[in-house]
Amino acid sequence: MSLKRTTPLASALLLAAALLSPPVATAAPVDALAVPDISLTNVQAHLNDLQTIATNNGGNRAHGRPGYLASINHLKAKLDAAGYQTSVQQFTYNSATGYNLIADWPGGDPNSVLMLGGHLDSVTSGPGINDNGTGSAGLLEVALTVSRLSFAPQKHIRFGWWGAEELGLVGSNHYVNSLPTTERSKLKGYLNFDMIGSPNPGYFVYSASGQPTGSLQLQQTLQAAFSVPTELTSVGGRSDHAAFARAGIPIGGTFTGAEVIKTAAQAQKWGGTSGVAFDRCYHRSCDTITNVNATALDRNSDAIAYALWNLAGAGTPPGPRFENLTDVTIPDLSTVESPITVSGVAGNAPAALAVGVDIAHTYRGDLVIDLVAPDGTAFRVKGSSSDSADNILTTYSVNASGEVANGTWKLRVQDVASADVGRINGWSLQF
Ligand code: DPN
Ligand code: ZN
Ligand code: CA
């Protein structure tokens, strides 16, 4: 649901305009910087998927259990298909492999990164739908909305879904600790979303007090995102922002409450039931798909988008996109090419030319892929490797700033090992 309210006067004018205008299809002008409304229906669909994953995997999505890896794979597939560059970072804890999912949206200033995240694992006692299916699903839908709208802000955007939070913030600590110092210094802020649909909700924003310089802006942006009153809360070391804060990175986040009891004053301003926990099912088997307040989930999902759109910088609108959807078969041990002719683009290609690739193949480890510029310069986007997966549906980023944009670009695909074959379904260039 939209956070934007329409004034009665504006409504009256819109109604009058609707009545007076002839019944023809009109294209409304699109404000590129308007904060998008995040679809509650879509967020709920992601939550249902996580519930199904838990149900099919012994009732939980906990670290070291099959429901956790299934959750990671499910999100990764959606993000890959939307054009994210994803990576799964592994770590070991309690003799089990843990996984963080990192998803980079191509483009933006690589030296100025805004990161948003939340934990994807549940406790072992239940499916973890409010804790933290809600934050995970809200972040996923915001990420997919970024893709649908081709959001091209000034900052580079990165999303993270953390493993083993419930065992002591293990995944997020691993991520921050393994980031080289230069990479840490590129992180301009981290926003955390852990439990954003509590059944008896409060509207809490992480307090910037005691947090790294820069956190106040994140706090104030998140406060401004809500049409209901918020309270500041000191989440301290209770969630995945903690590792970022320790590294000196500005942090912020929202939270709808866990085991703490809602006071009478809080019930006055937020509704719900005083004398009852914000989430009676916190860390219990009853944290299921029915343990979610849809209004809280909706408001917080919209708040994620509000913060992202306001903090990522206006940037420049995306340039033109070109595509070739003609199928090209890739015979065994062959080299094939598919052309795209670019015209009308002034000057050189961008430093982050986005190359979308859709290849159906029975073993993608056979494939070596180059982007060939009009002057014949080849940019290797993928080498061959033992890569026991099949299709490629991803977006590569190529620094093509030394190449004139106009002319015929080619996707060159070499199959370098026998047996497996496939076809190029299509590919695209986003300037
Ligand atoms: N970190 C949460 C959990 O996973 O149990 C609960 C929590 C989140 C508590 C944010 C306080 C603040
Ligand atoms: Zn949690
Ligand atoms: Ca082959």
Side-chain angles (χ1 to χ4, degrees):
M1 196 185 77
S2 175
L3 294 165
K4 282 205 198 156
R5 279 144 295 177
T6 312
T7 65
L9 175 62
S11 304
L13 290 173
L14 283 170
L15 179 63
L19 292 172
L20 290 171
S21 53
V24 291
T26 52
V30 177
D31 177 0
L33 295 180
V35 179
D37 181 52
I38 299 304
S39 160
L40 173 64
T41 306
N42 289 0
V43 177
Q44 288 172 322
H46 303 319
L47 268 186
N48 270 300
D49 290 341
L50 293 175
Q51 174 69 66
T52 301
I53 286 169
T55 304
N56 292 341
N57 287 282
N60 69 65
R61 302 180 302 103
H63 171 71
R65 308 293 181 92
Y68 183 70
L69 186 52
S71 300
I72 286 276
N73 290 336
H74 178 74
L75 264 63
K76 183 177 186 299
K78 294 207 176 259
L79 293 158
D80 285 340
Y84 279 81
Q85 291 183 312
T86 62
S87 63
V88 175
Q89 182 184 39
Q90 297 197 4
F91 57 90
T92 303
Y93 188 74
N94 275 356
S95 314
T97 304
Y99 307 90
N100 293 326
L101 173 61
I102 309 298
D104 281 274
W105 179 238
D109 179 354
N111 295 315
S112 183
V113 180
L114 179 64
M115 188 162 190
L116 301 87
H119 73 92
L120 185 57
D121 65 315
S122 72
V123 290
T124 53
S125 50
I129 296 304
N130 185 36
D131 181 14
N132 182 33
T134 54
S136 296
L139 287 162
L140 174 61
E141 187 55 27
V142 170
L144 297 180
T145 304
V146 162
S147 163
R148 260 179 236 124
L149 298 179
S150 297
F151 187 38
Q154 178 264 325
K155 287 198 178 68
H156 177 78
I157 302 170
R158 180 177 300 155
F159 291 88
W161 285 265
W162 313 119
E165 187 267 358
E166 299 291 3
L167 301 176
L169 317 177
V170 180
S172 54
N173 278 320
H174 180 80
Y175 176 77
V176 173
N177 292 341
S178 52
L179 268 187
T181 317
T182 51
E183 292 302 313
R184 281 190 200 183
S185 66
K186 295 174 184 173
L187 285 180
K188 302 308 174 200
Y190 172 74
L191 297 175
N192 194 61
F193 300 93
D194 184 1
M195 303 182 74
I196 60 169
S198 301
N200 185 28
Y203 293 90
F204 297 101
V205 170
Y206 294 10
S207 168
S209 104
Q211 302 292 353
T213 310
S215 301
L216 187 61
Q217 188 202 1
L218 306 188
Q219 175 203 301
Q220 289 171 341
T221 304
L222 286 168
Q223 287 175 296
F226 286 90
S227 54
V228 280
T230 54
E231 277 184 27
L232 293 178
T233 184
S234 300
V235 278
R238 281 195 68 181
S239 196
D240 297 297
H241 59 289
F244 292 86
R246 241 181 285 116
I249 296 158
I251 62 95
T254 71
F255 176 48
T256 54
E259 76 288 356
V260 170
I261 307 294
K262 186 182 269 188
T263 66
Q266 289 170 329
Q268 274 287 321
K269 65 180 166 190
W270 291 329
T273 316
S274 66
V276 171
F278 293 107
D279 183 356
R280 272 189 286 192
C281 288
Y282 175 60
H283 285 184
R284 296 173 57 197
S285 60
C286 59
D287 185 11
T288 65
I289 195 69
T290 62
N291 188 45
V292 174
N293 179 285
T295 302
L297 182 61
D298 190 7
R299 287 174 173 159
N300 278 274
S301 299
D302 286 343
I304 300 172
Y306 181 95
L308 174 52
W309 257 256
N310 279 286
L311 293 167
T316 48
R321 186 174 179 279
F322 300 83
E323 67 183 6
N324 182 343
L325 296 180
T326 310
D327 286 3
V328 178
T329 49
I330 310 167
D332 221 8
L333 301 169
S334 70
T335 298
V336 300
E337 291 181 343
S338 173
I340 287 178
T341 298
V342 171
S343 62
V345 182
N348 281 10
L353 177 61
V355 186
V357 176
D358 178 354
I359 292 177
H361 202 273
T362 52
Y363 185 79
R364 70 181 180 210
D366 286 8
L367 300 179
V368 175
I369 304 177
D370 293 303
L371 174 70
V372 184
D375 71 356
T377 308
F379 297 88
R380 177 69 34 100
V381 298
K382 180 199 173 302
S384 67
S385 62
S386 83
D387 187 354
S388 55
D390 44 22
N391 303 328
I392 296 174
L393 186 59
T394 195
T395 303
Y396 301 103
S397 182
V398 172
N399 183 348
S401 56
E403 302 294 327
V404 172
N406 285 342
T408 299
W409 297 72
K410 289 176 203 137
L411 190 74
R412 179 181 295 153
V413 180
Q414 304 173 62
D415 182 305
V416 298
S418 59
D420 288 281
V421 295
R423 101 185 147 260
I424 305 173
N425 285 323
W427 69 292
S428 65
L429 287 174
Q430 170 77 61
F431 283 81

